[in-house]
């Protein structure tokens, strides 16, 4: 449940830019090493939308969590996300040369450094969350992130994705939904619930919001893979069709996929009714997810 604190909302674009500045500045403060590993970690964290970090900060604001506390949780989830992308781009996984409009880490350095940078980003996330400033609910916050990122969450989703590439039968809609809920949705859920977890508040509304948002995000990604261009998207497009992979677009068709994303956006917005006008920035985020071009 939302606290009684009156929260001043701001437009989504402004809030997202503020998040990007906060997290980028925090990276400069805490990743100060002058070795190649630190360079690769900072590189991996640069250039992203930082939407997951934004969700952390917004959920924290809804629950009157100090921004200086929430900021390290926002950086932690961006570290987990960045590590997943670094490893996902490796030749043994998706074998991509471009990420966020820049060479992938293994192209900028080499495969060994990419593995190490990803490993370091993952462990650094948990180091950030272990600080005493997170208070009595820190252990729960860490436990939930481990679950969301691990064998029942994102890593499991990546495993399902790799397995599907060599399967004789393409995934059906139920299977691809399960895959994407784990690969993408779990980190969105943790991000949106983080503020409530830190505050010891009810996570249900934000979990429902994030469940719908995460699936809408992935459907939007599948649409971008069909309709987008690599320069704008910042990575290779139409690779799913070339690989013969089942996607929401291939299973539903383009128009139905767009309609489903819009429906999920409405569901995400409705989940925030408990917060009234204070949830408007998060509602704008849901609308952004299905209308973005990158």
């Amino acid at each position: 449940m939302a606290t009684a604190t009156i929260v001043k909302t701001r437009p989504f674009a402004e809030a997202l830019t503020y998040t990007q500045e906060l997290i980028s500045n925090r990276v400069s403060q805490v990743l100060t090493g002058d070795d190649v590993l630190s360079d690769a970690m900072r590189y991996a964290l640069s250039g992203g939308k930082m939407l997951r970090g934004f969700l952390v900060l917004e959920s924290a604001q809804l629950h009157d969590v100090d921004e200086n506390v929430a900021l390290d949780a926002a950086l932690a989830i961006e570290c987990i996300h960045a590590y997943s992308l670094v490893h996902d781009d490796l030749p043994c996984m998706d074998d991509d040369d471009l990420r966020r409009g820049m060479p992938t880490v293994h192209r900028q350095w080499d495969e060994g450094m990419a593995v190490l940078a990803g490993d370091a980003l993952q462990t650094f996330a948990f180091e950030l969350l272990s600080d005493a400033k997170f208070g009595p609910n820190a252990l729960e916050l860490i436990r939930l992130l481990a679950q969301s990122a691990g064998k029942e969450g994102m890593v499991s989703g990546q495993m399902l994705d790799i397995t599907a590439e060599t399967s004789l039968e393409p995934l059906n809609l139920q299977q691809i939904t399960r895959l994407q809920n784990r690969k993408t949705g779990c980190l969105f859920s943790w991000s949106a619930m983080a503020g409530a977890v830190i505050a010891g508040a009810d996570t249900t509304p934000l979990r429902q919001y994030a469940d719908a948002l995460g699936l809408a995000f992935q459907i939007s990604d599948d649409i971008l893979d069909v309709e987008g261009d690599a320069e704008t998207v910042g990575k290779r497009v139409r690779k799913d069709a070339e690989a013969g992979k089942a996607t929401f677009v291939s299973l539903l068709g383009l128009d139905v996929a767009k309609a489903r994303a819009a429906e999920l956006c409405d569901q995400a917005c409705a989940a925030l009714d408990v917060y009234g006008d204070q949830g408007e920035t998060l509602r704008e985020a849901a609308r952004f997810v299905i209308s973005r071009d990158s």
Side-chain angles (χ1 to χ4, degrees), residues 1-7 59 61-64 196 199 201-203 205-206 272-276 278-279:
M1 296 293 290
T3 68
T5 302
I6 296 175
V7 178
S59 71
Q61 186 177 9
L62 281 174
H63 295 88
D64 201 26
D202 181 17
T203 61
L206 288 169
L272 299 172
D273 285 350
V274 66
Y275 299 108
Q278 296 175 2

Side-chain angles (χ1 to χ4, degrees), residues 125-126 128-131 137-147 190 197:
F126 292 101
L128 287 166
L129 294 178
S130 67
D131 194 286
N137 297 309
L139 186 58
E140 178 67 0
L141 193 68
I142 292 170
R143 184 184 69 83
L144 290 172
L145 182 57
Q147 288 181 338
W190 186 90
V197 173

Side-chain angles (χ1 to χ4, degrees), residues 11-33:
F12 166 71
E14 179 184 324
L16 186 61
T17 298
Y18 181 70
T19 292
Q20 292 164 349
E21 292 173 351
L22 273 183
I23 294 177
S24 296
N25 289 338
R26 187 61 176 152
V27 169
S28 299
Q29 292 170 0
V30 298
L31 285 178
T32 57

Side-chain angles (χ1 to χ4, degrees), residues 19 72 88 96 113 133 145 153 176 188 197-199 204 209 228 247-248 255 268 276 284 294:
T19 292
D72 274 358
D88 195 35
D96 276 318
M113 186 53 58
K133 68 185 176 184
L145 182 57
I176 200 169
F188 272 103
V197 173
I198 295 169
T204 303
Y209 166 82
T247 68
F248 287 106
D255 290 341
E284 286 189 39
S294 65

